[in-house]
Amino acid sequence: MRIEYVIKRLFYCFLAFFVGISITFVILHLMPGDYISHLLINIESTISPEASEAFKHKFGLDKSLTEQYFIYIDNLLQGDWGYSFEYGVPILNIVVEKLRWTLILLIPATLLSLLIGVFIGAYFGWKSGSKLDLSVLNVMIFIRAIPSYWWALMFVLIFGFYLGLFPLGGYMGIGVLESGTDYLDILHHSLLPMITLTLCSIPGNYYLMRNSMLLTVGEDYIITARGKGLSEKDILFKHTVKNAMLPMVTMITLELVFMISGSVFIETIFSWPGMGMLMIDAMNARDLPLLQGIFLMDTLLIIIANFTADMLYSCIDPRVKVGE
Amino acid sequence: MHRKVAFIIGKKRLKRNVAFTISIYILVAFSIIAIFSPVLTPYDPYTITGTPLEKPSMGHILGTNDLGQDIFSRLIYGTGITLFVGFVGGGLAILIGTFVGIVSGYYGGVIDEFITRGIDLLMVIPMFPLLLVLASFLEVSMTRISILMGILGWTMFARVIRSQVLSLSEYNFIYGAKAMGASDSYIMIKHILPNILPLIIVKFVFAVQTYMIMGVGLGFLGLGDPTTISWGQMINRAYTNGGFALGMWWWLLPPGLIIAFLSIALSLGGYSLEDKINPRLRREIEIS
């Protein structure tokens, strides 16, 4: 039964994957304005039609949309994500390279914000109703209400510009040209965007955890535990927090989607060479294959996160009847 | 002990009520500013009324931007489009989400299965990047962009409302209405909708907040119609055209602070409403 469930989920993932990339393929190819006329907007009249035709032929743009679609899917199944108009290199290489930079920010930020959010949320869910709880709640509402790009701008302005504690942007100092890659330098550059991303995702985690705690504290088994004479510490850690953590697993998936959009702003403001910057770049250049590749990677990430959350959930919550 | 807890919760609810009233006042004030912005502005925001990069003075309260346009007037003019994007985008997303959620939750069975699976499939598509691409390729007005935002963002709301309707449909009064021969559409409109209305309103407030921030964010990224004055575009201009490097805080800060202020007001209103309707805090479900 368990294997059946896993196979069913996997099949579903493939379905979601194809539906996702098909929709983005159609939308992207319906967009007005192609690469060559956009690139050569000023010299369009002087470019020879032959050159334009040769470009279109090389990238298969002279074929019909359906034909292009099947070629695209066929290539994809062979692990070929196509070539970028702008850079002329395989898209998979570009996307993977940029993804690495994004993950350098995303992974620590996700883990940190989860850890801090869950910890604060659990503590104040337990002590709800106190004066401190109310103040923390208001502070969290405040942090969340301010847009992530505004936090980022303020941090650059205060810590980068006025205090000079951090670089204004980028990922390496100019010094690497002589000394080679300096990991400490990269860390220094990544710290401020990482802190911003973390700060912006703490309130969401905190709020969910606190609500989940409030819900769990009211359950009958907590009253039973108290009736059994267990110590408050045992009730908190062994019964309440453990159960209240369950909805957090689903949260991780939502978090990822939130972070993908958030990182577009953060990367733009901090000039961080990740997926978000790449997307803005590809968008401005009308580099359709590259955009398609970015969507493909985002979709893949979301699907993998969904799948992991599903599997984790059925593992840690025995009440979920797997396969039904 | 019990009395003490009840007292604290009661006091807290009182405070939340105050927060809600304040946020309504703020929203009304901003709407008035938006409607009467041509009267309230000292200068035409599009014309050049001073030398570029003037410091704040009696003539120009917040100085002038790099083109010599009055920053204060532009700030006032930007109010309308921000509210518009929030209300239209958020409203549309809630409208579609409510419709799909009620249909899915009320009918259940195959229809529900079909819709839920469909939403699951749609949620795999990274909507925000898609919005960016559509906004940049179509080069449309902010009106169209807010409609696009609504069309792309309803899935989350449909899910929440569906699960609420699903449990509501099991109540006896729904069965009673069915037994009396009421039509499905009558039950959905007269019985289901009023009962989930508080939830819809809370979600609407948060949706407006989110979409407002997103609308300003799009402007900040340089997307959307460049001829429409918006706070996002103002931040973008100040950031890229020297306001940042020259330390001209009166150019960069006001639009950001004002969107943050509006967003905090809305979110306080939303949380206090949520507090009111949240059955977890009241421990009883009221069915009218």
Side-chain angles (χ1 to χ4, degrees):
Chain A
M1 192 164 87
R2 190 161 202 107
I3 293 292
E4 234 171 61
Y5 176 71
V6 174
I7 290 172
K8 218 167 140 189
R9 289 304 310 174
L10 272 176
F11 169 74
Y12 192 72
C13 285
F14 275 111
L15 186 68
F17 178 69
F18 277 107
V19 171
I21 57 166
S22 301
I23 292 177
T24 45
F25 182 89
V26 171
I27 291 178
L28 282 179
H29 282 81
L30 285 179
M31 289 296 114
D34 62 298
Y35 177 71
I36 205 132
S37 59
H38 193 74
L39 179 71
L40 306 167
I41 202 149
N42 298 318
I43 47 168
E44 206 182 358
S45 48
T46 58
I47 186 166
S48 70
E50 288 86 15
S52 179
E53 279 310 309
F55 174 82
K56 280 185 176 159
H57 183 71
K58 197 178 160 210
F59 281 95
L61 296 173
D62 48 356
K63 296 189 173 71
S64 74
L65 196 61
T66 4
E67 234 175 314
Q68 285 186 48
Y69 176 72
F70 284 113
I71 292 173
Y72 177 68
I73 296 289
D74 186 40
N75 282 341
L76 214 57
L77 290 174
Q78 295 168 29
D80 177 7
W81 289 28
Y83 286 78
S84 153
F85 287 162
E86 202 184 358
Y87 301 106
V89 289
I91 283 163
L92 190 60
N93 296 2
I94 309 176
V95 172
V96 168
E97 159 75 18
K98 296 293 181 184
L99 182 67
R100 257 183 30 210
W101 285 104
T102 295
L103 288 183
I104 289 178
L105 294 185
L106 268 191
I107 292 176
T110 313
L111 291 179
L112 261 177
S113 66
L114 261 175
L115 209 72
I116 300 172
V118 165
F119 183 77
I120 302 178
Y123 182 76
F124 287 107
W126 185 245
K127 302 242 174 214
S128 73
S130 66
K131 233 180 195 155
L132 192 60
D133 171 44
L134 211 62
S135 333
V136 171
L137 181 65
N138 285 330
V139 169
M140 288 292 179
I141 292 175
F142 177 79
I143 295 176
R144 190 169 185 77
I146 292 179
S148 60
Y149 47 84
W150 192 246
W151 279 118
L153 270 180
M154 288 302 99
F155 281 176
V156 175
L157 197 65
I158 296 167
F159 297 113
F161 189 70
Y162 285 118
L163 298 179
L165 293 174
F166 293 99
L168 291 174
Y171 61 109
M172 282 180 202
I174 194 88
V176 295
L177 289 176
E178 285 145 23
S179 58
T181 315
D182 179 359
Y183 291 102
L184 222 64
D185 188 40
I186 294 177
L187 183 72
H188 188 216
H189 279 81
S190 70
L191 225 49
L192 209 51
M194 208 188 286
I195 291 171
T196 319
L197 259 180
T198 310
L199 182 80
C200 292
S201 354
I202 286 175
N205 295 330
Y206 152 83
Y207 196 65
L208 190 77
M209 187 65 194
R210 183 176 171 274
N211 270 357
S212 178
M213 281 293 280
L214 288 180
L215 202 66
T216 317
V217 167
E219 293 279 355
D220 289 341
Y221 57 79
I222 300 299
I223 301 172
T224 312
R226 204 161 268 146
K228 280 198 305 192
L230 292 183
S231 70
E232 286 292 299
K233 210 172 141 194
D234 271 1
I235 299 173
L236 175 59
F237 288 108
K238 289 197 179 149
H239 294 265
T240 320
V241 172
K242 232 176 167 181
N243 284 303
M245 281 287 288
L246 283 177
M248 298 308 294
V249 177
T250 330
M251 183 70 190
I252 301 173
T253 326
L254 289 173
E255 181 93 335
L256 186 83
V257 180
F258 174 75
M259 287 249 191
I260 285 177
S261 27
S263 66
V264 174
F265 291 115
I266 306 282
E267 284 177 12
T268 310
I269 291 167
F270 288 99
S271 316
W272 188 259
M275 294 277 282
M277 275 267 277
L278 183 70
M279 209 188 94
I280 300 284
D281 177 40
M283 225 163 63
N284 290 336
R286 311 257 151 160
D287 193 339
L288 281 189
L290 187 53
L291 275 176
Q292 178 83 51
I294 295 166
F295 276 108
L296 187 63
M297 187 49 98
D298 283 348
T299 310
L300 262 180
L301 285 179
I302 296 173
I303 288 178
I304 291 171
N306 268 327
F307 183 73
T308 319
D310 271 356
M311 291 298 118
L312 262 179
Y313 206 91
S314 62
C315 279
I316 54 177
D317 190 353
R319 285 173 303 180
V320 175
K321 286 188 192 123
V322 174
E324 271 174 29
Chain B
M1 170 76 187
H2 261 281
R3 192 164 292 170
K4 198 179 163 198
V5 170
F7 172 70
I8 289 170
I9 290 175
K11 208 169 145 192
K12 184 175 147 191
R13 188 161 295 143
L14 197 73
K15 269 190 192 158
R16 297 260 161 229
N17 273 336
V18 174
F20 179 66
T21 319
I22 291 174
S23 81
I24 289 287
Y25 279 136
I26 292 172
L27 205 59
V28 170
F30 271 92
S31 309
I32 292 172
I33 291 174
I35 293 165
F36 294 103
S37 43
V39 187
L40 293 168
T41 45
Y43 299 98
D44 180 64
Y46 292 99
T47 48
I48 293 163
T49 52
T51 46
L53 304 179
E54 261 180 57
K55 282 185 177 176
S57 62
M58 285 311 282
H60 299 276
I61 302 173
L62 289 172
T64 56
N65 66 5
D66 56 332
L67 292 176
Q69 295 158 325
D70 184 48
I71 292 174
F72 180 71
S73 303
R74 291 181 78 80
L75 198 64
I76 298 273
Y77 260 87
T79 317
I81 194 67
T82 309
L83 289 177
F84 183 85
V85 170
F87 277 90
V88 170
L92 196 63
I94 290 287
L95 211 66
I96 303 175
T98 306
F99 178 75
V100 175
I102 290 183
V103 167
S104 176
Y106 177 73
Y107 285 106
V110 184
I111 295 176
D112 181 41
E113 180 79 14
F114 181 75
I115 292 176
T116 322
R117 292 287 163 208
I119 288 176
D120 281 351
L121 287 181
L122 282 181
M123 282 188 109
V124 164
I125 301 170
M127 288 300 177
F128 184 69
L130 194 59
L131 176 70
L132 291 184
V133 168
L134 287 174
S136 107
F137 277 38
L138 295 174
E139 286 169 353
V140 288
S141 63
M142 280 315 272
T143 323
R144 296 243 186 105
I145 286 179
S146 50
I147 292 172
L148 270 177
M149 284 159 101
I151 293 173
L152 290 178
W154 57 270
T155 44
M156 289 268 263
F157 305 116
R159 268 192 170 181
V160 176
I161 285 160
R162 173 200 163 261
S163 67
Q164 203 57 198
V165 173
L166 207 61
S167 60
L168 196 66
S169 304
E170 297 295 316
Y171 276 97
N172 279 333
F173 72 99
I174 300 291
Y175 285 123
K178 270 185 200 166
M180 275 157 58
S183 69
D184 286 337
S185 53
Y186 179 85
I187 296 176
M188 281 190 265
I189 294 168
K190 288 278 174 180
H191 292 291
I192 303 269
L193 191 62
N195 276 297
I196 55 166
L197 203 60
L199 177 76
I200 295 175
I201 294 171
V202 168
K203 291 290 160 197
F204 175 65
V205 173
F206 284 121
V208 170
Q209 183 216 358
T210 316
Y211 280 78
M212 262 176 12
I213 289 182
M214 210 187 266
V216 174
L218 287 183
F220 172 69
L221 290 175
L223 298 171
D225 183 8
T227 57
T228 312
I229 297 171
S230 77
W231 294 338
Q233 181 211 47
M234 286 176 74
I235 301 173
N236 180 21
R237 219 187 160 82
Y239 187 59
T240 51
N241 289 15
F244 186 81
L246 297 171
M248 297 172 66
W249 54 265
W250 57 87
W251 186 12
L252 181 67
L253 291 187
L257 289 181
I258 219 159
I259 178 71
F261 177 71
L262 194 52
S263 165
I264 289 169
L266 268 172
S267 126
L268 275 179
Y271 278 107
S272 54
L273 263 182
E274 194 179 42
D275 218 38
K276 253 186 217 173
I277 66 147
N278 200 341
R280 272 176 285 193
L281 290 173
R282 282 202 170 180
R283 297 247 158 260
E284 80 230 343
I285 298 167
E286 287 167 330
I287 304 292
S288 56

